[in-house]
Amino acid sequence: MTENNYIAINTLQHYIFCPHQWGLMEIEQQWCENIFVVLGNLVHEKVDKPFLTENRNGLHISRSLPVYSHKYKIQGVCDVVEFIKNKKGAYIKQLEDNYIIKVVEYKRGKPKEFNQVNYADSIQLTAQMLCINEMFNINCEGFVYYASIGRRCKLNNFNELTNVVFNIVEEMTKFLQNNTVPPITNTSRCNGCSFKEICIPNAKTKLPFNSLIKHSWEEQFEKTT
Ligand code: SF4
């Protein structure tokens, strides 16, 4: 596997929402947008300015920073990465000083509960943090900024979620290597799905989802929350 076919971090959320939806996009190259997707894109427009950086009083902010992890075979773009000068932080060669690092992902929605980062958001943020830790040899902190409440929520269960990310990426890689779209799930999520019109979940036979694959990461995630 080369860097060119590492799993894209922004596709993890599609797989978590519905593996079949992810397969339609990534394997069959189909794409549908609904109002929820459009609103999400608008939030990201504010931060998607590649390589834009700011410096003020020991705070260095990188926006749309490309990241990767060779260990986890993932790659993506972090909305915002803050480097804060701090003697207790790690030495960052590119900035020639010691810094702590905060990764911030922007989302249009609101947290599931006060101060608790949502399921798919947690996984996406964990994947980004794994990349930053590997790239800068550091233990970073991670936050999700929820536009609807106008504040950040901190991710508190990073260590536990690393295994969840590993298992999800492993599953996605197997589907990609086999060129196989995961089966239809036909759950309540279908009502808000942008692929409902082309997937037509009720008109097709619901295939038994491979229980080993399904539960390997879902049960693990439940234990960490
Ligand atoms: S309509 Fe339902 S089964 Fe089909 S892709 Fe969307 S969520 Fe998955």
Side-chain angles (χ1 to χ4, degrees), residues 128-185:
Q128 292 173 351
M129 292 168 69
L130 287 168
C131 294
I132 292 288
N133 287 351
E134 183 175 318
M135 290 167 67
F136 296 101
N137 193 24
I138 198 171
N139 290 317
C140 66
E141 296 178 16
F143 301 82
V144 177
Y145 176 89
Y146 287 104
S148 62
I149 61 167
R151 62 183 291 273
R152 296 177 177 185
C153 294
K154 186 177 181 185
L155 184 78
N156 293 316
N157 47 354
F158 168 76
N159 287 334
E160 294 87 346
L161 291 177
T162 56
N163 284 337
V164 182
V165 170
F166 177 82
N167 287 334
I168 292 174
V169 169
E170 198 174 40
E171 288 175 23
M172 293 166 82
T173 303
K174 281 180 187 163
F175 282 119
L176 284 170
Q177 286 173 343
N178 294 330
N179 203 29
T180 304
V181 176
I184 287 170
T185 50

Side-chain angles (χ1 to χ4, degrees), residues 17-225:
F17 178 78
C18 172
H20 185 69
Q21 187 204 67
W22 165 81
L24 292 176
M25 283 190 281
E26 296 298 313
I27 295 168
E28 292 196 355
Q29 310 292 315
Q30 300 197 45
W31 176 247
C32 293
E33 270 194 337
N34 66 6
I35 186 64
F36 301 111
V37 177
V38 173
L39 286 172
N41 290 342
L42 285 174
V43 170
H44 276 263
E45 273 182 17
K46 286 186 178 177
V47 288
D48 284 350
K49 294 175 181 170
F51 312 117
L52 184 67
T53 58
E54 294 171 33
N55 281 299
R56 26 183 160 103
N57 299 328
L59 173 65
H60 182 98
I61 302 173
S62 289
R63 301 181 194 276
S64 303
L65 182 71
V67 295
Y68 60 83
S69 165
H70 296 310
K71 181 178 177 186
Y72 288 88
K73 296 185 171 40
I74 50 179
Q75 62 177 331
V77 176
C78 288
D79 287 340
V80 169
V81 180
E82 296 176 350
F83 299 82
I84 302 151
K85 196 182 278 189
N86 188 314
K87 285 179 184 163
K88 293 179 182 170
Y91 183 76
I92 304 297
K93 191 176 157 193
Q94 295 86 338
L95 298 174
E96 300 179 334
D97 213 327
N98 285 45
Y99 286 81
I100 58 173
I101 299 181
K102 295 183 179 181
V103 180
V104 187
E105 171 68 13
Y106 280 69
K107 295 292 181 189
R108 69 171 176 83
K110 57 184 179 183
K112 191 171 73 180
E113 291 173 26
F114 182 75
N115 227 18
Q116 188 180 341
V117 180
N118 294 347
Y119 180 7
D121 302 342
S122 300
I123 298 299
Q124 188 176 356
L125 181 59
T126 298
Q128 292 173 351
M129 292 168 69
L130 287 168
C131 294
I132 292 288
N133 287 351
E134 183 175 318
M135 290 167 67
F136 296 101
N137 193 24
I138 198 171
N139 290 317
C140 66
E141 296 178 16
F143 301 82
V144 177
Y145 176 89
Y146 287 104
S148 62
I149 61 167
R151 62 183 291 273
R152 296 177 177 185
C153 294
K154 186 177 181 185
L155 184 78
N156 293 316
N157 47 354
F158 168 76
N159 287 334
E160 294 87 346
L161 291 177
T162 56
N163 284 337
V164 182
V165 170
F166 177 82
N167 287 334
I168 292 174
V169 169
E170 198 174 40
E171 288 175 23
M172 293 166 82
T173 303
K174 281 180 187 163
F175 282 119
L176 284 170
Q177 286 173 343
N178 294 330
N179 203 29
T180 304
V181 176
I184 287 170
T185 50
N186 197 4
T187 64
S188 57
R189 291 180 177 179
C190 299
N191 295 329
C193 176
S194 53
F195 280 78
K196 196 176 169 189
E197 300 305 318
I198 58 170
C199 173
I200 321 174
N202 290 328
K204 297 176 185 174
T205 308
K206 185 182 174 187
L207 296 172
F209 201 78
N210 182 326
S211 59
L212 244 183
I213 287 175
K214 185 181 181 193
H215 295 296
S216 64
W217 53 272
E218 285 192 341
E219 285 179 358
Q220 215 174 357
F221 180 83
E222 282 164 15
K223 286 178 194 162
T224 67
T225 54

